[in-house]
Amino acid sequence: GNNNISQIDNVVYLRRFRELQCLNVAGNPFAEGDYKSYVVAHLPSITYLDFRLVSSHMREEAINQFQDAIDVIEHNERDDQKKQEKEVARIAEEKELREAFVDGLMSGQLFDDLFIEDVDGPKLNLLPQMVEAFELYKSKFCKICEELVTFGLKEAQNREREKTMFQSAVNKAKEADKVQGVAVINEFLAYKKKVLTELGQVSDARVIDAKINELQEELNSVWDTLMGYELQLAEQLEEVNKDFERTMSDMSGTFTETVQNYFTQCRELELMHHDKLTETALLIMEKVVKNELEEELPEDLRLLFVDKDTITNAVNTSHDLHNQRIDNKEDDIITRVGNSKESYNARISEGEVQRNRHRVAEINHFLEHIRDELEQYEHLDR
């Protein structure tokens, strides 16, 4: 209450808080007259308004009073929900494609990108002699991109499956090491407790020293065992990591080769279309020179057919721009695949180094803790 809200329709904003049950609007400028009906009708989740229980009868009357306005609001909310769900789905799809390294290829995206900087190509492809050839070119080009996307998504699933299997093997090895390490420690702690209990009943200093020395020797043995386990685990994980790196390198290599094959097909299509466009443009140029062209060319096209060099340069420039776009996309995918593999391997390697350091420090800390305890016991005994 007392929030200085002057317009009653501002409370509609609170509909987004689906779990809102208690609301106090008293003291606001709009809270005069029959404001409660409006609030109750527009906020169906509230059960207490201004510290009073909202009865079912009051809610029913309020809804009936503002039914038309509520219908409009709910209709708009459904539309907004659909838009939000669509946007979430779009973002999820983009993320999936990006992680599979095949983003920017769906729905003719790459084909459309070919013409971003191409000024003359779109004009030339509108020539009556080129319309059908251009549509065929576009259809085949987009089909290749769609096949590449399908392949990329499938390979991404395979990579994730390999990563899952790798992580499972690592976790299994770590768990086995943990089990045997805990067993050794528990066995030692039980032995230590037994010895210290016995020492509580002994007063002979030589017996006490002998028992303490035995504990020290047993502690050293535990250290050797635990360090041996850690060395064994480190070697095991190193071998697992190397196998995984080899597998991922092979998969990346296969993926890269396949990507290159797809882009080779794209370049071949582009070359075929370029040859067709060149042939068509030169034929039209001959007719223009001989004044035999039957159809009238648009002004912007007529400027390209002033002479053979002009039209040839326009066609070649269009072709070069298209190849550059294709090459850039191919390089982008291959570079990202390599960087992703190296980055993932580096994280695995660094993670193992940190795990090993932490484990060694943990073992040494345990050793020092027990030694300090035994030293304190010796001091107390003396």
Side-chain angles (χ1 to χ4, degrees):
N2 299 306
N3 295 122
N4 200 28
I5 301 175
S6 57
Q7 293 181 298
I8 193 170
D9 56 359
N10 285 337
V11 301
V12 176
Y13 174 85
L14 299 177
R15 285 177 64 87
R16 66 190 62 195
F17 303 109
R18 305 292 184 183
E19 303 300 321
L20 179 63
Q21 295 184 345
C22 300
L23 179 66
N24 175 29
V25 296
N28 286 288
F30 77 81
E32 297 178 358
D34 189 23
Y35 71 91
K36 292 186 178 180
S37 295
Y38 184 93
V39 175
V40 170
H42 288 79
L43 302 178
S45 64
I46 64 170
T47 55
Y48 288 90
L49 176 61
D50 296 344
F51 306 107
R52 291 183 178 276
L53 179 66
V54 176
S55 67
S56 57
H57 176 70
M58 177 184 181
R59 189 183 306 278
E60 183 178 352
E61 285 193 341
I63 292 175
N64 289 334
Q65 182 180 351
F66 295 96
Q67 187 65 61
D68 292 342
I70 293 173
D71 288 343
V72 172
I73 291 174
E74 290 179 345
H75 174 75
N76 293 336
E77 287 176 341
R78 286 192 295 270
D79 285 347
D80 291 341
Q81 180 66 24
K82 289 178 181 178
K83 291 178 182 178
Q84 185 178 3
E85 290 173 355
K86 187 176 180 180
E87 179 64 11
V88 169
R90 184 191 65 79
I91 293 174
E93 182 184 48
E94 285 187 355
K95 181 176 182 292
E96 182 183 22
L97 293 172
R98 187 169 57 253
E99 291 177 349
F101 311 111
V102 289
D103 48 311
L105 297 173
M106 288 290 289
S107 304
Q109 286 176 278
L110 179 57
F111 187 82
D112 293 339
D113 287 347
L114 301 184
F115 297 90
I116 289 179
E117 298 177 358
D118 184 5
V119 177
D120 297 326
K123 302 174 188 176
L124 293 169
N125 285 309
L126 290 177
L127 288 168
Q129 300 88 334
M130 287 301 303
V131 172
E132 185 177 347
F134 177 75
E135 289 301 322
L136 182 61
Y137 168 45
K138 180 178 180 180
S139 175
K140 290 182 177 180
F141 192 99
C142 292
K143 185 174 185 297
I144 291 173
C145 291
E146 289 170 4
E147 290 176 358
L148 177 52
V149 168
T150 300
F151 169 76
L153 293 173
K154 182 178 179 181
E155 284 299 294
Q157 291 177 350
N158 292 338
R159 285 193 297 272
E160 288 303 313
R161 185 160 49 249
E162 286 294 332
K163 290 177 182 179
T164 300
M165 291 171 60
F166 163 73
Q167 197 58 55
S168 176
V170 170
N171 291 340
K172 185 176 180 180
K174 289 180 179 179
E175 183 61 26
D177 174 75
K178 178 182 177 181
V179 169
Q180 62 183 6
V182 168
V184 169
I185 291 174
N186 287 340
E187 183 179 355
F188 171 77
L189 292 177
Y191 172 70
K192 179 176 74 78
K193 181 179 179 180
K194 175 177 175 295
V195 171
L196 294 182
T197 300
E198 292 174 353
L199 290 180
Q201 302 172 358
V202 177
S203 57
D204 190 326
R206 287 174 299 176
V207 173
I208 293 175
D209 288 342
K211 290 290 185 180
I212 294 296
N213 288 335
E214 287 179 10
L215 272 176
Q216 292 281 9
E217 291 177 3
E218 185 63 25
L219 180 61
N220 291 335
S221 177
V222 168
W223 186 89
D224 289 339
T225 301
L226 293 178
M227 283 299 187
Y229 287 161
E230 173 54 27
L231 178 61
Q232 182 181 24
L233 177 62
E235 292 175 347
Q236 183 180 358
L237 292 182
E238 182 180 10
E239 189 60 33
V240 171
N241 291 348
K242 287 181 179 179
D243 288 342
F244 176 72
E245 288 181 12
R246 282 192 292 268
T247 299
M248 295 303 290
S249 293
D250 291 343
M251 294 183 72
S252 296
T254 300
F255 181 78
T256 297
E257 290 176 7
T258 305
V259 166
Q260 290 171 330
N261 289 336
Y262 276 114
F263 278 101
T264 296
Q265 294 179 50
C266 289
R267 276 186 285 270
E268 290 173 351
L269 278 177
E270 167 59 28
L271 179 59
M272 291 171 59
H273 182 71
H274 167 68
D275 291 343
K276 175 66 176 177
L277 183 58
T278 300
E279 179 185 356
T280 302
L282 292 178
L283 286 174
I284 294 176
M285 187 70 244
E286 289 180 11
K287 291 183 179 182
V288 170
V289 171
K290 296 177 181 179
N291 200 23
E292 296 177 353
L293 191 64
E294 297 178 358
E295 63 274 8
E296 184 70 20
L297 291 175
E299 177 65 21
D300 54 351
L301 266 178
R302 205 151 35 83
L303 294 174
L304 297 176
F305 286 94
V306 292
D307 55 51
K308 185 177 179 180
D309 287 342
T310 300
I311 189 60
T312 300
N313 288 336
V315 173
N316 288 339
T317 298
S318 174
H319 177 57
D320 291 341
L321 288 171
H322 295 179
N323 275 334
Q324 185 180 28
R325 286 283 178 176
I326 294 171
D327 292 345
N328 288 345
K329 188 59 181 177
E330 179 183 15
D331 291 342
D332 172 65
I333 292 176
I334 293 174
T335 299
R336 286 162 57 200
V337 169
N339 290 344
S340 176
K341 180 193 69 175
E342 295 300 326
S343 175
Y344 194 83
N345 289 342
R347 290 199 301 273
I348 291 174
S349 178
E350 179 61 24
E352 171 54 19
V353 169
Q354 295 300 325
R355 184 208 64 78
N356 177 255
R357 289 176 179 173
H358 177 76
R359 180 56 176 161
V360 170
E362 189 177 53
I363 293 172
N364 286 328
H365 178 74
F366 171 75
L367 184 75
E368 293 301 323
H369 174 73
I370 298 299
R371 281 178 175 168
D372 289 344
E373 185 180 354
L374 295 180
E375 287 178 5
Q376 292 175 7
Y377 189 90
E378 286 183 295
H379 291 324
L380 286 174
D381 180 64
R382 285 169 171 71

